[in-house]
Amino acid sequence: MLKSLYISQFFFIAFGVGVILIVTGFYLPVLFYLGQFSLVVLIILTLLDALLLFANKQAIYAERIIEPRLNLGDETTIQLTLKNTGNQPYKITVFDEPPYEMQARDLAFYGFVKSGQKESFNYSFKPTKRGAYHWKNIHVFLRSFLSLLERRVIIETPQSVLVYPSVLQMKNFEFLMFSQQTQQRGIKKIRRLGHNNEFEQIKNYIQGDDIRTINWKATSRRSELMVNQYQEERSQSVFAVIDKSRSMEHKFEGLTLLDHAINSTLVFSNIALRKGDKIGLVTFSHKIGTQIAPDAGKRQLQRILDALYAQKTEFKEANYSLLYQSLRKTIPFRSLLMLYTNFETELAMHRALPMLKSINKKHVLVVVFFKNTDLNDELTKNPASARELYVSTLAEDVINTKKRIAKELNRHGIQTVLTAPNELNIDTLNKYLELKSKGLV
C-alpha cells in the first residue's frame, strides 16, 4: 500500500502553514494553539483521504486502443480510455509508457472522472522505422476531493505492434488513381497510343470509369449506365529493384531513403497489379538480397509486403556488376525495371553506368534517385558571411550535380526520375503511366 501512496503538494503546504503558526506561537500563544489544531485536523483529513482512496481495490480501469498494425511514416492516433469503477469522483493524472523510439518522457494527461463514467485521452505517433514497437504499462494517479494524498494505480497493458510499409499510402493512391480526381492531385492520366485493348465485358458504370466507354445500347435496355470493359492484350513483367547500400541511409522527414523507396514500391506494385501487369521484387547492395519472381494477384502483393517489411540497410557500396549478372540469369524476358537508388556524385554514377547501360539494352530501365531537398533552404538565404556564402555555393553545386547525373543517364537512353522523397509516389507512377502509354511496357 505504501508503495502506491504519495503525499501531494497540498499536504506539504498545509503542513508548512501549521508549523509556521506553531513557531510564531512562541510570541503569540493564540497562534501556537491554532497551529496545533491545524496539524491535528490535517492528520485526521489525511487519514480520511487515505481511506477514501483505498476504499475500492479496483478503483480505476484503463485500456490503450491502438491499431494492430501501423503504417510506416504515417501519423496514427493512440487512445487511452479510463473508467472510474469506484463510488466517488477522482482527479486523475495519467502517464503512458510508449516505445523508447518515441522519446516521449513527458507524456502526461490530466482530468476529472466521475463515478461510473469514462474519460479518454489521445496522442499521436509517427513511426519512422519498420519493426516491432512495444508499449508497457499505464500509470494512473488518483486524488480525492481532499487532494492531500495520491494513489498510484499501475494497469498492466503491454502491447507489441508491428510497423509495416504504408498500406495507407497504397490505398490512398489506389483511390486517386482510379477516381476522377487524379489530375488535380498530380497523377497524369495518359492515353495509351494505338488500339491495344480487347473487349472483355459490359458492366455497370462506377465513378472513375471513362465516359467514352459507355455502351448506349446496353444503357437504354437496362435504364442505367453501362460501360464496356477492356483488358490489355497481355500483362507485362515489372520489377521493383531496391538499392540497400549505405547511400540509401540518408534521412528525409525522419525516414531513410530506403524506407521512402519501400513505401513507394508498395504503392507502385499495387497500381501495376491493378493495371494487369505482373510485379516482382529484387533488393541488392554488395550482394543480392530478396528475389521475388513476377506474378499477379493479391497473394503476390502480400508476398511483396512481407518481403519489404524485412529489408535492412547494408552499410556497404552497391555492386551493380553483381546486379547485372543476377538479372541476366533470373529475368530472361524483357521487363520494366524501376531501380530505386541514390547517386550523390558523378563519379558514383559513372562507376555504375556501364552496368546500367547493359541492363538497359535487355530491359526498360528507370533509375529513380533523390533530390537533396534540405539544400533548397540554403539557396533562398541571403548570405551574411563568407561561411554562409560557401555553404550556399556548395548547395547549388550539389543540386546541379544531381541534374547533370540525370542528363547523363538520359543521354545514354536510360529513363530517369529525379524526385524529392515526398513526391516519389506521384513521380514514379507518372513515369510508369508514361511508359505504358508509349507501349514500352
Side-chain angles (χ1 to χ4, degrees), residues 69-304:
R69 180 182 288 185
L70 302 184
N71 297 296
L72 178 67
D74 294 325
E75 292 278 354
T76 186
T77 299
I78 299 161
Q79 185 180 80
L80 302 178
T81 301
L82 290 89
K83 182 178 181 181
N84 184 350
T85 56
N87 52 14
Q88 61 177 308
Y90 292 111
K91 299 174 184 177
I92 58 173
T93 303
V94 184
F95 294 91
D96 196 8
E97 285 190 84
Y100 73 90
E101 290 89 350
M102 282 186 63
Q103 295 295 306
R105 295 181 174 87
D106 57 347
L107 199 61
F109 305 95
Y110 306 91
F112 179 82
V113 58
K114 296 180 180 178
S115 176
Q117 293 190 357
K118 292 183 178 181
E119 184 72 26
S120 295
F121 305 96
N122 297 329
Y123 65 93
S124 61
F125 173 47
K126 181 180 177 179
T128 57
K129 291 183 179 179
R130 287 164 286 117
Y133 286 71
H134 305 285
W135 276 259
K136 296 181 181 178
N137 300 326
I138 299 174
H139 299 255
V140 183
F141 289 84
L142 306 177
R143 298 191 306 277
S144 71
F145 68 95
L146 294 173
S147 296
L148 295 173
L149 299 175
E150 281 186 330
R151 176 188 174 187
R152 184 180 70 172
V153 180
I154 301 176
I155 295 94
E156 295 184 359
T157 54
Q159 286 178 274
S160 293
V161 180
L162 297 180
V163 175
Y164 268 71
S166 181
V167 176
L168 179 62
Q169 291 183 29
M170 182 193 78
K171 291 181 178 179
N172 287 342
F173 274 91
E174 179 181 347
F175 171 76
L176 293 175
M177 188 73 182
F178 297 100
S179 73
Q180 294 179 337
Q181 302 179 11
T182 56
Q183 203 80 20
Q184 301 173 8
R185 303 300 179 92
I187 302 175
K188 303 173 185 176
K189 280 193 171 181
I190 304 175
R191 289 186 59 188
R192 188 173 180 85
L193 302 180
H195 301 280
N196 294 324
N197 293 333
E198 292 184 346
F199 175 78
E200 182 179 8
Q201 64 175 350
I202 300 174
K203 68 180 186 71
N204 290 323
Y205 173 85
I206 60 175
Q207 186 177 7
D209 286 339
D210 191 341
I211 60 174
R212 293 170 298 181
T213 63
I214 294 177
N215 188 317
W216 294 108
K217 289 184 179 179
T219 297
S220 63
R221 288 197 300 267
R222 297 287 297 274
S223 298
E224 56 181 330
L225 279 177
M226 306 295 291
V227 295
N228 295 330
Q229 182 173 332
Y230 298 91
Q231 64 178 0
E232 299 290 339
E233 287 184 347
R234 63 187 182 90
S235 61
Q236 306 293 328
S237 293
V238 181
F239 282 84
V241 184
I242 302 178
D243 177 5
K244 300 192 299 179
S245 66
R246 62 187 176 192
S247 65
M248 296 290 282
E249 189 62 15
H250 297 300
K251 288 192 175 183
F252 175 82
E253 293 185 349
L255 270 67
T256 64
L257 296 182
L258 175 62
D259 284 324
H260 281 290
I262 284 173
N263 276 347
S264 176
T265 295
L266 188 62
V267 171
F268 167 71
S269 298
N270 183 50
I271 297 301
L273 289 171
R274 289 291 305 272
K275 286 286 187 180
D277 289 333
K278 296 178 181 179
I279 187 73
L281 175 68
V282 176
T283 66
F284 78 104
S285 58
H286 64 291
K287 60 182 179 180
I288 300 299
T290 302
Q291 291 180 298
I292 298 178
D295 201 353
K298 292 183 178 180
R299 289 186 178 180
Q300 180 71 352
L301 188 62
Q302 185 62 48
R303 283 192 286 268
I304 290 175

Side-chain angles (χ1 to χ4, degrees), residues 239 241 282 284 288 319-328 331 333-339 352-367 412-414:
F239 282 84
V241 184
V282 176
F284 78 104
I288 300 299
N319 190 335
Y320 286 93
S321 177
L322 182 61
L323 175 65
Y324 167 68
Q325 296 296 334
S326 177
L327 294 179
R328 190 176 66 172
I331 311 177
F333 38 82
R334 187 171 180 81
S335 305
L336 169 64
L337 307 181
M338 301 292 287
L339 171 60
L353 185 57
M355 295 299 102
L356 296 179
K357 289 165 61 178
S358 298
I359 294 172
N360 194 52
K361 287 179 182 178
K362 192 170 184 180
H363 305 283
V364 179
L365 176 62
V366 179
V367 176
H412 290 280
I414 299 173

